[in-house]
Amino acid sequence: GNVKISYSTDNGYNWTTIVSSTANDGSYAWTLPDILEDKCLVKINDVGNTQISDISDAVFSIGGPPEIVLNKNRFNLTRYKL
C-alpha cells in the first residue's frame, strides 16, 4: 500500500504534507525545508486507512549552522613569505 508522510515543527500541533502518497517501501528521500526549528516530528499515515499511523518517537531539530570539523592531520598548511 501507499503512505502519506507529514512533518510538524511545533511538536505535533500542526502538520505539513511532505508527500500525499508514496510506496510503503521503507524509505523516502526528503529535501529538508530551509527552517530553524527544534520541535520537529514526522508522521506516516496509511493512505487507505488513516487510522493506521505512526509518529516519530522524539522531537528532532532541522536547520541551524552547519558543523564544520577541521582536523590538522588532514591539511598540509605551509606559510609563504611575500
Side-chain angles (χ1 to χ4, degrees):
N2 284 3
V3 295
K4 174 182 177 182
I5 305 173
S6 307
Y7 75 97
S8 171
T9 59
D10 56 9
N11 205 24
Y13 291 105
N14 297 289
W15 295 93
T16 301
T17 299
I18 298 169
V19 62
S20 58
S21 183
T22 187
N24 186 9
D25 60 7
S27 67
Y28 182 80
W30 174 34
T31 301
L32 295 174
D34 186 16
I35 59 173
L36 178 59
E37 297 292 342
D38 63 357
K39 294 181 179 85
C40 300
L41 294 166
V42 170
K43 177 170 67 171
I44 311 295
N45 287 91
D46 185 300
V47 171
N49 183 352
T50 57
Q51 298 302 313
I52 300 173
S53 66
D54 196 14
I55 298 175
S56 48
D57 293 334
V59 296
F60 58 91
S61 298
I62 295 176
E67 181 178 331
I68 300 172
V69 178
L70 299 176
N71 182 330
K72 68 180 181 177
N73 296 325
R74 295 185 179 238
F75 294 91
N76 183 11
L77 301 177
T78 306
R79 291 189 179 184
Y80 292 96
K81 284 190 175 183
L82 298 178

